[in-house]
């Protein structure tokens, strides 16, 4: 059921998140605006996904993505957060993030400890890296979606 909407293309501005300190855990997540989140199919499963991402006209990198309920808004709103598997020199708030979701890893979970959460995310990242090297996912890296001519990028918001 989680696969029903895949592959899923999405483009939008990177906004400030909710200061849950992902960056301090070494796993920064680029958040989409509420408008972009609301453009997602309302019946898309929450959980952890993987796929490809690019910032502005930059290179295409592997990513893991969380679609989840946002405790900040008493779980009435979803959030969509992308961790790009790449080390960036600088933050990219305000830039246009393009993502292509190609696969699903697992549903949302609660963890008893911060250590358990971090190790689950590390496992998600390793799983995403492995899956994205398979031909069926790798071929989507070169999708035209990521190669729009400069100045022609339109955001969802
Ligand atoms: P916020 O709560 O504002 O989302 P985070 O701690 O989740 O803060 O950090 C996210 C920000 O970190 C992104 O908006 C982006 O500007 C920056 N960033 C740097 N490297 C990455 C990366 N590899 N993946 C995602 N975001 C990154
Ligand atoms: Mg974030």
């Amino acid at each position: 059921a989680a696969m029903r909407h895949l592959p899923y293309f999405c483009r939008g501005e990177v906004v400030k998140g909710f200061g849950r300190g992902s960056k301090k855990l070494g796993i920064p997540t680029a958040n989409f605006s509420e408008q972009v989140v609301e453009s997602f199919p309302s019946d898309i499963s929450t959980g952890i996904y993987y796929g490809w991402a690019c910032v502005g006209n930059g290179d295409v990198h592997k990513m893991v993505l969380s679609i989840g309920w946002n405790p900040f808004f008493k779980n009435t709103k979803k959030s969509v957060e992308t961790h790009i598997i790449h080390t960036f020199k600088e933050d990219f708030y305000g830039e246009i993030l393009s993502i292509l979701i190609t696969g699903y890893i697992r549903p949302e979970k609660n963890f008893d400890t911060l250590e358990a959460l971090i190790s689950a995310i590390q496992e998600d990242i390793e799983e995403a890296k492995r899956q994205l090297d398979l031909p069926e996912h790798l071929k989507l890296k070169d999708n035209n979606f990521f190669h729009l001519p400069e100045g022609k990028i339109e955001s969802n918001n």
Side-chain angles (χ1 to χ4, degrees):
M3 306 289 292
R4 182 170 46 217
H5 297 289
L6 306 187
Y8 189 80
F9 298 80
C10 178
R11 177 141 48 221
E13 191 183 343
V14 176
V15 302
K16 264 273 170 208
F18 307 96
R20 279 181 288 185
S22 325
K23 204 180 288 171
K24 285 189 201 114
L25 307 181
I27 29 182
T29 60
N31 292 53
F32 280 129
S33 70
E34 208 175 297
Q35 248 181 308
V36 172
V37 174
E38 274 162 16
S39 74
F40 273 66
S42 56
D43 62 345
I44 199 166
S45 305
T46 58
I48 310 300
Y49 294 79
Y50 58 85
W52 300 103
C54 119
V55 177
N57 294 319
D59 294 336
V60 179
H61 300 287
K62 293 175 177 177
M63 63 81 168
V64 287
L65 176 96
S66 139
I67 300 179
W69 293 105
N70 202 315
F72 190 83
F73 292 109
K74 300 199 160 65
N75 300 328
T76 56
K77 283 194 193 310
K78 271 181 206 165
S79 70
V80 176
E81 309 189 15
T82 305
H83 171 67
I84 304 174
I85 306 175
H86 176 76
T87 304
F88 289 87
K89 289 199 191 78
E90 287 173 343
D91 286 352
F92 44 85
Y93 289 109
E95 300 230 33
I96 300 299
L97 172 65
S98 300
I99 62 167
L100 173 43
I101 309 170
T102 72
Y104 178 76
I105 300 181
R106 61 169 174 87
E108 281 188 288
K109 260 189 274 181
N110 280 321
F111 294 94
D112 294 334
T113 65
L114 193 59
E115 288 71 26
L117 169 66
I118 294 173
S119 76
I121 296 170
Q122 296 303 346
E123 280 170 34
D124 295 334
I125 290 171
E126 291 312 311
E127 173 70 4
K129 286 191 199 165
R130 276 194 300 272
Q131 293 293 331
L132 287 162
D133 280 334
L134 302 177
E136 91 174 274
H137 298 289
L138 195 55
K139 70 173 189 228
L140 288 157
K141 184 181 184 184
D142 293 322
N143 193 280
N144 278 338
F145 176 67
F146 291 120
H147 300 296
L148 292 180
E150 200 164 351
K152 289 272 169 64
I153 288 185
E154 282 169 33
S155 129
N156 271 339
N157 61 0

